[in-house]
Amino acid sequence: MIFALKKYQTDTLEALKTYLEAARTIGAKAAYDGMTREGVRGANSYRPLQGLETIPYVCLRLPTGGGKTLLSAYTVKIAAEAYLERDYPLVLWLVPTNTIRAQTLETLQKPGHPNYEALRTAFDGRFRVLDIADFTQLTPTDLATQACVVVGTFATLRVNNPDGRKVYAHNENLEPHFTSVPANAASMDRKEDDSSIKFSFRNLLALHRPLVVVDEAHNNTSSLSVEVLQRVNAACVVEFTATPANDSNILHNVSATELKTEDMIKLPIRLSPHNTWEEAVRDSILNRQRLHDLASGDAAYIRPIVLFQAEEKGKEVTKEVLLKHLIEQEKIPREKIAVVTGDQKELDGINLFARDCPIDYVITVEALKEGWDCSFAYVFCSVASIYSKKDVEQILGRVLRMPYAKRRAEPDLNRAYAHVSKSSWQNAVRQLHDSLVDMGFEKTEAASFIDTTPLPLEGGGVAGLFADTPAPTVIELAEDISHYHTGQTDSKNITIEKTSGGSRIILNGSISFEALDKLKAAVPAAARQSLDVEIRVHNAKYQRSFSPAARGISFLVPQLYFNLDGDLTLAEKDAFLDVNGWNLANYPADVSEVEFKLTESGVQWEIDLSALGKLTEKVVGTAEQYDLDLVDTGWTQNQLCSWLERKVRQDDVTHPILIDYVRRALVSLLEKRGLPLTMLARWRYVLAKVLIEKIHSNRTDAGENGYQKALFAPQAAVETRFDYAFNFRPDEYAPHSLYVGHPYQFQKHYYAGIGELENKGEEFDCARAIDLCKGIKHWVRNLDHGGFWLPLAKGKFYPDFVAELEDGRILVIEHKGKIYATNEDSKAKACIGALWEERSGGKALFLMTVAEKGRPSLDEQINRKMQE
């Protein structure tokens, strides 16, 4: 069984693959600095590992619930082929704790589990996973014929003095691994008595240079942790974390919005503060019953579960107090409750997904913070008066996972719920917001995913029905600011009342940033952060309700179609290949990019990959190098041909055509160029990259010819069709990052949040000009991963902005900086945009804006276009 990856997961892996392939050719730093890193704000230049400056060392950021372990499993194959160039890599998989180590081992060793299946498929079943404590079970044959994954913790290797640690100790069982290692080999630990090489696991790792996969890398940024990577002589380090350290080389960022859009997590979180912990417990029970009734109509089996966080021993509401309250006061049968703490593990051996499982409530203190995962958990209830922030984050994360990773028909089953006591969560909104940020949410995302709308709990302390207009937000302050006077603009949205304990702020409608700043200035410094978060959460709630997307207003944009053999066909790259008939057999297989040079100092090989640069390997010592090239590797020409064919397989090239193309390429290298088979076998991974690039180049050539013929030839039949339109769907806007809010509060964006827009610069200026334009009904900051696109010969063009005008026309805007306004890419985009407009019958407009001295302002450029 293969688990189908979500788009954000494939995008993450593709970013990693692209980087590692470039790093293999032009180096780790140059590859990183030259990449466009999606969703990474303020991207810095590459920071290498001290002592391992040349190796790739990157971080992939995914919030809680993003599937970091599954992506780590896929990473093994990607790194092996793209950078390590090994059929069977050795992997050191490091996790933060022993609990997570046990969980990771279980999923990687369990047939049928997605993590196990990812490895099994990648290596055709030739892989082995073992605990670091069992390293003596590894044999040289294992390392030569299987991908070997060793799972351990950083703590196992991270010591000031390695003496006494098994992984650093001499072990006779490892002797077979060192039989062919020269006595003077560098980078090897040695025995003190005779200076001979230790047969240690550390030396074994250093000898084979492992791929290091790090889970939750932010826990491992000390100098001692870096020393661990130096000790094992890591060949490549890939980190997966929700909260990277400030100095991490973040290669790709996934937002919580993307996870929500792909049905991985339940959002927003409906937060309900209560006067007492007893009320919080009662309404949690009522909420669970409400969700249970809703779930009974769902196509899949869902049994909503409440997670209670009790207090430690010696506090007021311990697990015993809470259990007694549930049984005696709330009349919950004992068999429906499981207590899970360090010394009481009532879920062991229980399948919470089973239809006959009676468990509806789980009481914990902190034991669920690692290694526990049940997507039926919907409600988090904290009764703790003093608690660890980290425990809250980890337990809260357990209620975010979506059952079956699929959106439910009933909207309330797509949300998570939190019930807390005001006595312990005095600033509940800010506390929940901060917990989400620590779980990997951006601050803007966290504010938009907290919902304080009252729940309709029959008989509970919170009443009312869901309404189209959000309920007012009430903020209680210990300080009296009733003397504060709101400006005329905000007077209808802000009411301030004096109370016996201070004052009360009542918010209705959207609050301007100017009013927010003034209110913050009116309260003591200690209260400003909470006030800031609560008003931002209120604004997000208001925007969710009143954005055009939330109100169900459709937003359709016509797409470009052309006639292909009598059928109306969407104008995209694959269709252009069919115009002339794409056939690899019609292209030469001469691999001229491979160069082989003999220099005075030795043998130098050069492989020129035009997409990445020139890869060069030099070895001093002619005789030694020739020996390496001429030693029989056991490869035959047919074996190498078959191996290459497997590595370069293409969905649109049949097996007979591809095998013939590879065979012709080998013949050109072996017979026409006179290169040794042993050399080609040793460089087979690079040769595969060359062949893939050659095929891609041939395909691009065929596509460009088809593109010109289908769209721009005199006989081309092209239409901009409104009956075949791109649909901006309400729940499918998934930016990598969100606009932070300052300095302008946008009013007409189609979605509540604005994706991938900085708060300054030319694109911001263009967005503001669009938002202020009177003739525009609503607009979208278009995303280049799932937004509206127009075809180009080599791919897709995603314009920066798409707007619907009050008169029903569609306006598409691409903004270009002055230096890019006249380059070939801009010319191609302007050309296809003009064609899209021309064939729309006056219903669509395309504009390329440029901000430079001497041109009309952006406002004028937009208004002039609308008047055409």
Side-chain angles (χ1 to χ4, degrees), residues 518-538:
K518 290 177 182 177
L519 276 172
K520 286 165 62 179
V523 303
R528 289 172 187 167
Q529 184 180 0
S530 290
L531 183 62
D532 180 88
V533 171
E534 293 213 48
I535 293 180
R536 289 179 183 274
V537 168
H538 165 83

Side-chain angles (χ1 to χ4, degrees), residues 372-390:
W372 190 90
D373 185 12
C374 178
S375 56
F376 285 176
Y378 265 85
V379 182
F380 165 67
C381 178
S382 175
V383 299
S385 58
I386 300 176
Y387 52 81
S388 161
K389 183 180 177 183
K390 194 66 178 177

Side-chain angles (χ1 to χ4, degrees), residues 110 179 206 212 277 349 433 443 469-470 511 517 549 582 707 808 811 833:
K110 183 179 180 181
T179 54
V212 180
W277 70 264
H433 172 274
K443 289 184 179 180
T469 302
I511 309 302
D517 290 339
W582 152 244
Y707 177 80
L811 170 63

Side-chain angles (χ1 to χ4, degrees), residues 515-657:
L516 171 58
D517 290 339
K518 290 177 182 177
L519 276 172
K520 286 165 62 179
V523 303
R528 289 172 187 167
Q529 184 180 0
S530 290
L531 183 62
D532 180 88
V533 171
E534 293 213 48
I535 293 180
R536 289 179 183 274
V537 168
H538 165 83
N539 276 345
K541 176 175 68 175
Y542 184 85
Q543 290 164 1
R544 275 198 305 271
S545 296
F546 286 95
S547 69
R551 287 182 283 143
I553 296 174
S554 65
F555 191 176
L556 303 176
V557 183
Q559 291 189 289
L560 204 61
Y561 281 75
F562 72 97
N563 189 297
L564 177 62
D565 299 330
D567 293 324
L568 200 60
T569 304
L570 182 63
E572 58 181 340
K573 185 171 64 174
D574 290 346
F576 301 139
L577 289 173
D578 295 332
V579 173
N580 294 317
W582 152 244
N583 189 343
L584 183 62
N586 296 332
Y587 290 84
D590 179 40
V591 190
S592 58
E593 289 83 354
V594 178
E595 295 292 343
F596 176 70
K597 297 180 180 179
L598 177 62
T599 68
E600 291 181 0
S601 60
V603 174
Q604 174 178 307
W605 304 350
E606 288 186 352
I607 309 290
D608 187 5
L609 301 175
S610 60
L612 301 173
K614 183 169 290 187
L615 183 152
T616 303
E617 180 172 301
K618 299 179 181 178
V619 180
V620 177
T622 307
E624 177 186 342
Q625 186 61 44
Y626 271 133
D627 287 344
L628 185 59
D629 284 341
L630 299 177
V631 167
D632 185 6
T633 58
W635 286 82
T636 67
Q637 184 173 336
N638 285 339
Q639 286 174 329
L640 181 57
C641 185
S642 296
W643 186 94
L644 287 169
E645 187 275 333
R646 290 195 301 273
K647 295 298 179 184
V648 304
R649 282 178 184 169
Q650 311 284 310
D651 291 338
D652 57 357
V653 181
T654 64
H655 174 76
I657 290 177

Side-chain angles (χ1 to χ4, degrees), residues 472-483:
T473 295
V474 179
I475 303 173
E476 301 285 350
L477 295 176
E479 300 79 19
D480 179 13
I481 63 166
S482 57
H483 59 279

Side-chain angles (χ1 to χ4, degrees), residues 5 45 50 103 138 183 202 257 280 308 350 376 389 442 448 451 529 571 580 590 593 598 639 693 702 764 786:
L5 294 177
S45 62
Q50 182 180 359
Q103 179 195 17
L138 279 176
R202 177 269 169 192
T257 303
F308 289 107
I350 292 180
F376 285 176
K389 183 180 177 183
E442 298 283 355
S448 67
D451 189 352
Q529 184 180 0
N580 294 317
D590 179 40
E593 289 83 354
L598 177 62
Q639 286 174 329
E693 185 176 309
F764 167 79

